[in-house]
Each structure stands twice: as C-alpha cells, then as structure tokens.
Amino acid sequence: MVEPALFLVHYHEIALKGRNRRHFEQILAQRLRDALGPDARVNLLHGRILVEVPGRWAEAVQDGLGRVFGVAYFARVQRLPVDFEKIAQAALARLGDFAGSFRVSVKRANKRLPFTSPEAERQIGALIVAATGWPVRLRGADVEIFVEFYENKAWLYTSLDRTPGPGGLPVGASGKVVVLASGGIDSPVAAWRVAKRGARPVYVHFHSYPHTSLDSLRKTEAEIEILSRWHGPAKLYVVPLAGIQEEIFAKSPERYRTLLYRRFMYRIAARIAGWEKAGALVTGDALGQVASQTLENMRAVQEAVDMLVLRPLVGMDKTEVIAEAQAIGTYDISIQPQQDCCSFLEPKRPATKSTPEQLRKVEAKLDVKGLVEQALERAERRWIGNEPDTRISER
Ligand code: ATP
Ligand code: MG
C-alpha cells in the first residue's frame, strides 16, 4: 500500500480572530477541499489543518496549497509515535545529506504528555548531537526541526520542507464583491488582491460590440480562468454598453464621455451587486494613471452610486502592478491587443477635473434609468469553472 501524503497547513491571521476563529477555520478547510478535490481529507487539528491525500498526488497538492488564500505556509509532514528516539532518527533520515547547525522547535497541544516543550527540544536535540555532532544554534540555525504533538502523535517536518502560501484570508470569509473587469492589466490584479483578503469576486465586463470586437471579453474570460485557480470558480456578467455609449455620444459634451460611460458602468455594477448581495465594487484604478483616475474624476464617477468602491491598486505604480500580474499569471493575457470599450468614441481632450454636479447636469438629457434597465436586460451570466460548493455559510 502506498503511504498517504500528509501536509500540515498553517495560518496566521485567522488565529487572531477570537470568537470568529472557528468560522474562519471552517471556511479555510472548505476552500482546501474545493482546491484539492473530494479524495483529499481535510481536518482541523489544534490551530493547524491536516491534509491527507493519496501519495501519488503529493506534487499536485504542493502546487494547489500554494494558491489557497488563508494558507500562511505548509509542509509535508511525517506522523510518528511519541518516541524521541524514533523522532530523532526520522529527522535525520529526512535531512538526508544535510550537515550544519540546527535547532529543534516543539509545539505541544496535548498537555497531558509527560514532558514540557523545552524538555522535548533538549532531549531530541541531544540525540541528534550524539548521532551527528552538529552544533545547536538557537538563532540563525541552518535547519530548524519542527516537532508538534497532537492527538498522541508526533508530527515532524523541517524548515527545508516549509513552503509559503499566499497568506491572506480564505475566500468567502469577507463576503462578496463585484469586480469591474476590463480585460486589461490592472483589474485582474485588483480582483486577486481583494480575493486574497477573503472576498469572493463576481465579475462584470462591459463591451461595445458591434462597435468593437469581442476580444476584450475573450481576454477577460481567460484572465478569470487564471484567477479561478486562486479563488475558485467565479460568475461573470457580460453587459453590452454600446446602446448607452451611442446615447452619450449623441447628447453629451465630448470631454465628459469617458466619465459618463464609467458612471453607467458603476450603476449597472451596483445593481448586480444588489442581486448578488455583494458589499462593494472593485476597480483597477490607480491614482493619476489616466485622466479618468484623478481624485476629482474618481469622486465624480463614484457619486453615481451609493456604494462602497474599493480600489486596491490606488497607491501602486504601473511597474508594481505589472510585476504582480506576472506573479499571478494574468499578465501575458492582459497584454494581448484589444479594443477597449472606452476607446470607442474616446474624447481627444478628456476632462481631468469634473464635478458630480457637471455630470449630473449632462445626464439630465439622458434616460438614465431606462438605459440601465435595457443594459441589464441584455446582460448574460456565466460561470468560469464549475459552480462552487457553498455548504459552509459565507458572510
Ligand atoms: P485595466 O488595465 O484594468 O483596463 P486601465 O489602467 O486600462 O485598467 P481604465 O481603462 O481607465 O484603466 O479602467 C479603470 C478601471 O475601470 C478598470 O481597472 C476596471 O476596473 C474598470 N473598467 C474599465 N473598462 C471596463 C470594462 N470594459 N468592463 C469592466 N470594467 C471596466
Ligand atoms: Mg483599460
């Protein structure tokens, strides 16, 4: 019989959440099950999560665990009896041809064991010194040997086995958001950042078909496909903007066009947020990046909706956003050419400082409500990936 592969998953922040801790742990456990599939056994274990999978999967699991938000780090572990000799031997076998300074760090959740953590550290350490002559170094050791005692077993791993996870909070722990996804570089990074903080993203993409091609939609779908490897399957609403843009083009001053398109996007996204019970909109705006992203214009656009708008990239340079897009895996898709829906009928000299009053006055000539309704009626909804299991209640 092939030995199962065991992984001990560690989380940071969740442990700090006091009364909510249990709920966060359950969501994280569910996200691990979602990521690893039905054959993985995922169990809570005193401030850690134990993942057990068939041995041949070890590598795939290693990959998957690195993308589950809420995972601070994880390590493949060995389950041993509470026997210092066996633990020391197993540690040496695990370290192979390593030679250098070391320390043993013990964590003991089972308080009925007949030794304290420092005693266990000293005794296991002494056995390793006797076998190897390696120096013990409490600070800056070349390798740290971790032994954790739970449920009358010892769990062994070393600092060489530890792999960092993405950190953050498990998706679903912070509720839901509606992400305005353009197909460009920024919005996928914005989505990734809020998903990392535990928000489940629902995506909205606006296109100007037939005035522009559907390339931006295809790119958005491909980006969400990549993002779904991090946050799981996601819903995408596809909304036609062409009718609204034609009206704005016919009836509004050129310099305000982009901002008016944006106000309609926000209104439609806010309605979708209502359907989805989402708590905020998310955009890829960065302060000062383009004319529509000045302080004045961001405020003038935002004023169209009574809703929290999160802009996770607001303080980032483009080079920083690009580096993050590369790390997430969306960059190569994002840079493929597309006709932006807002390049359609884009003003030559866009207003850089508008006020809500100016935009409201211009909108008085438009049937704002009717246009929003029309666009929503034509909206299509689809899943990227399979529909997720939501048995664990999400807030
Ligand atoms: P991105 O790289 O995300 O396209 P950008 O720097 O090109 O951003 P803009 O095109 O001005 O900036 O868009 C700012 C934000 O507005 C985007 O990050 C996105 O959240 C939203 N947005 C713009 N166009 C669309 C669209 N067609 N569909 C949905 N959201 C959009
Ligand atoms: Mg764009």
Side-chain angles (χ1 to χ4, degrees):
M1 199 192 88
V2 187
E3 286 279 301
L6 300 172
F7 292 87
L8 212 48
V9 173
H10 297 235
Y11 41 90
H12 285 320
E13 230 170 322
I14 301 169
L16 305 175
K17 290 277 176 177
R19 282 189 305 140
N20 291 331
R21 174 169 165 172
R22 194 80 193 153
H23 183 69
F24 281 89
E25 287 172 335
Q26 282 173 349
I27 294 184
L28 178 56
Q30 187 59 43
R31 294 296 87 90
L32 290 166
R33 287 184 197 109
D34 295 346
L36 302 176
D39 292 335
R41 283 171 49 190
V42 176
N43 289 305
L44 300 178
L45 197 75
H46 299 282
R48 307 272 188 263
I49 293 178
L50 180 69
V51 172
E52 205 166 328
V53 295
R56 63 197 144 83
W57 285 12
E59 242 168 76
V61 168
Q62 189 86 14
D63 206 42
L65 288 177
R67 283 197 301 267
V68 176
F69 296 124
V71 173
Y73 58 91
F74 59 94
R76 189 152 177 197
V77 292
Q78 225 168 318
R79 182 165 41 199
L80 294 160
V82 182
D83 175 332
F84 294 165
E85 277 284 351
K86 288 210 169 89
I87 293 168
Q89 278 167 15
L92 291 177
R94 223 180 150 91
L95 286 169
D97 49 16
F98 165 89
S101 62
F102 78 102
R103 70 163 289 168
V104 178
S105 298
V106 167
K107 184 172 179 280
R108 197 180 58 123
N110 182 347
K111 300 295 179 200
R112 275 173 306 188
L113 291 171
F115 50 81
T116 64
S117 297
E119 281 165 8
E121 284 170 358
R122 273 195 298 274
Q123 291 183 33
I124 298 167
L127 289 166
I128 293 173
V129 171
T132 62
W134 296 343
V136 173
R137 192 167 294 155
L138 297 185
R139 274 163 185 262
D142 295 326
V143 75
E144 190 165 356
I145 296 166
F146 296 96
V147 185
E148 305 190 356
F149 294 98
Y150 308 113
E151 299 181 336
N152 296 323
K153 294 277 180 229
W155 306 83
L156 170 73
Y157 61 99
T158 77
S159 51
L160 307 179
D161 310 312
R162 262 178 25 159
T163 309
L169 301 170
V171 171
S174 307
K176 239 190 220 182
V177 292
V178 169
V179 176
L180 285 81
S182 64
I185 296 169
D186 302 329
S187 34
V189 177
W192 186 88
R193 286 199 154 206
V194 288
K196 178 179 165 181
R197 294 301 307 164
R200 180 173 292 291
V202 170
Y203 293 91
V204 184
H205 177 71
F206 298 93
H207 65 77
S208 309
Y209 186 80
H211 300 297
T212 60
S213 75
L214 287 174
D215 291 348
S216 65
L217 172 59
R218 300 287 161 254
K219 284 177 61 186
T220 302
E221 288 172 330
E223 287 167 355
I224 298 171
E225 168 69 37
I226 302 276
L227 289 162
S228 71
R229 293 177 205 168
W230 295 88
H231 56 51
K235 238 184 255 177
L236 166 65
Y237 287 84
V238 180
V239 185
L241 204 65
I244 290 172
Q245 291 180 302
E246 285 159 16
E247 276 291 294
I248 291 172
F249 181 77
K251 298 187 179 157
S252 319
E254 180 179 334
R255 64 184 184 284
Y256 293 135
R257 266 181 217 157
T258 310
L259 300 175
L260 295 169
Y261 301 159
R262 286 269 190 280
R263 277 167 70 92
F264 276 93
M265 287 186 193
Y266 276 40
R267 287 189 181 103
I268 292 164
R271 286 287 300 279
I272 292 171
W275 298 343
E276 292 287 343
K277 299 191 173 58
L281 307 184
V282 176
T283 76
D285 294 325
L287 182 57
Q289 196 185 77
V290 289
S292 59
Q293 295 170 24
T294 62
L295 289 178
E296 292 81 1
N297 285 346
M298 283 198 276
R299 167 169 178 254
V301 169
Q302 164 146 13
E303 195 262 353
V305 292
D306 179 16
M307 193 150 194
L308 175 64
V309 180
L310 300 177
R311 298 179 178 82
L313 312 188
V314 72
M316 289 176 79
D317 293 345
K318 196 75 185 187
T319 49
E320 294 169 324
V321 178
I322 287 172
E324 210 160 297
Q326 285 168 330
I328 297 164
T330 50
Y331 182 73
D332 292 341
I333 299 164
S334 297
I335 56 170
Q336 289 166 21
Q338 77 178 59
Q339 291 172 300
D340 198 280
C341 78
C342 296
S343 62
F344 167 61
L345 310 174
E346 194 160 15
K348 282 186 209 69
R349 284 161 178 265
T352 54
K353 285 188 187 181
S354 66
T355 64
E357 295 71 33
Q358 288 166 334
L359 299 180
R360 264 187 267 141
K361 212 164 129 193
V362 175
E363 281 174 350
K365 297 202 187 83
L366 307 171
D367 172 17
V368 172
K369 263 196 178 158
L371 288 168
V372 167
E373 290 307 327
Q374 268 176 36
L376 284 169
E377 272 163 31
R378 292 181 193 143
E380 282 173 39
R381 198 188 85 170
R382 61 190 69 160
W383 279 91
I384 312 279
N386 293 321
E387 207 161 329
D389 184 346
T390 48
R391 275 174 304 183
I392 298 288
S393 67
E394 295 182 358
R395 289 171 303 159

